[in-house]
Amino acid sequence: QVQLQESGPGLAKPSETLSLTCAVSGASISSTSHKWGWVRQPPGKGLEWIGTFYYSGGTYYNPSLKSRVTISEDTSKNQFSLRLSSVTAADTAVYYCARLGQFDPNVFDYWGQGTLVTVSS
Amino acid sequence: EIVMTQSPATLSVSPGERATLSCRASQSVSRNLAWYQQKPGQAPRLLMYGASIRATGIPARFSGSGSGTEFTLTISSLQSEDFAFYYCQQYNEWPPTWTFGQGTKVEIK
């Protein structure tokens, strides 16, 4: 059973960097069969894709966030991370990590439960 | 940038009735279209991919159609557990980008 679990501070200050980690069990992030990504959802709003990576295949970011986002992976811990710099209140959201590729290489099939990050001083 | 537009924003339907949700892409996405269901406080759940293929465990009352720029998700006979938000999502080949529609809320009439 594939499981993804987000973790990280629930509060970030404006202008600082938001950092989250997604721990994966039941699957390997170094598998070339799947991609891994981050999606966020501001309170009461819709879903926004942040970025996707696949092992040995590159990392791709939402153009609107590209200048502030970094996704990295730690295969020794089977986890991947999100860093979003220069945050503002507009970055307040539930952040989800997800896997792509069980059914189709480009759809999100397994999701973490999500973690709320509030940007406030 | 491909923009996905869903309509209506809210759909009021009685249990047992049919619900039809629309998703329009600003340019052709072929059949690279997925649908997700999300209930309050939960992560999204994959319903359909490839525009018309049900994911594992999704009931047959859910069906998808369309290609190019116009897509439809139909729920043939709404059950109580189907009242939720629904999002479409496209994938663009190059550069690789994923875009969600703004969502449709299906509520009890």
Side-chain angles (χ1 to χ4, degrees):
Chain A
Q1 177 74 0
V2 179
Q3 291 187 317
L4 297 91
Q5 179 67 58
E6 305 89 350
S7 62
L11 183 64
K13 288 183 167 48
S15 80
E16 293 189 344
T17 295
L18 174 164
S19 295
L20 297 173
T21 296
C22 180
V24 178
S25 59
S28 172
I29 67 168
S30 58
S31 164
T32 55
S33 299
H34 301 104
K35 302 178 181 128
W36 307 88
W38 290 95
V39 175
R40 70 180 183 178
Q41 185 171 36
K45 296 187 178 181
L47 302 167
E48 180 181 32
W49 170 66
I50 299 172
T52 299
F53 83 93
Y54 38 120
Y55 191 70
S56 301
T59 305
Y60 301 94
Y61 300 118
N62 186 323
S64 68
L65 299 170
K66 186 175 182 178
S67 63
R68 300 194 291 130
V69 174
T70 302
I71 294 175
S72 58
E73 67 267 21
D74 184 340
T75 55
S76 67
K77 295 181 179 179
N78 207 38
Q79 63 187 34
F80 59 101
S81 299
L82 169 71
R83 288 173 57 86
L84 181 65
S85 64
S86 304
V87 297
T88 69
D91 295 310
T92 293
V94 175
Y95 286 76
Y96 295 100
C97 59
R99 189 186 77 169
L100 302 86
Q102 165 120 355
F103 305 103
D104 178 298
N106 298 300
V107 299
F108 300 89
D109 48 60
Y110 280 96
W111 297 68
Q113 64 185 22
T115 187
L116 174 63
V117 178
T118 302
V119 179
S120 174
S121 56
Chain B
E1 178 190 353
I2 298 176
V3 177
M4 307 301 291
T5 303
Q6 292 185 241
S7 62
T10 302
L11 187 60
S12 298
V13 187
S14 298
E17 289 188 342
R18 182 187 197 91
T20 302
L21 290 68
S22 295
C23 177
R24 174 176 293 179
S26 60
Q27 64 189 72
S28 177
V29 299
S30 186
R31 294 179 64 84
N32 295 326
L33 194 285
W35 290 93
Y36 300 84
Q37 178 193 67
Q38 187 182 33
K39 297 179 180 178
Q42 296 184 16
R45 177 176 73 142
L46 176 66
L47 294 177
M48 316 285 301
Y49 61 96
S52 62
I53 304 170
R54 279 189 301 275
T56 301
I58 302 304
R61 64 180 181 273
F62 290 91
S63 63
S65 64
S67 65
T69 61
E70 301 282 345
F71 300 89
T72 300
L73 175 70
T74 301
I75 312 171
S76 60
S77 177
L78 271 159
Q79 305 298 302
S80 58
E81 61 267 30
D82 300 334
F83 292 97
F85 286 87
Y86 291 84
Y87 295 92
C88 62
Q89 171 245 311
Q90 70 83 27
Y91 164 70
N92 190 53
E93 292 283 348
W94 189 263
T97 53
W98 288 256
T99 312
F100 291 92
Q102 81 278 21
T104 291
K105 179 182 180 181
V106 176
E107 65 177 21
I108 300 175
K109 186 175 182 179

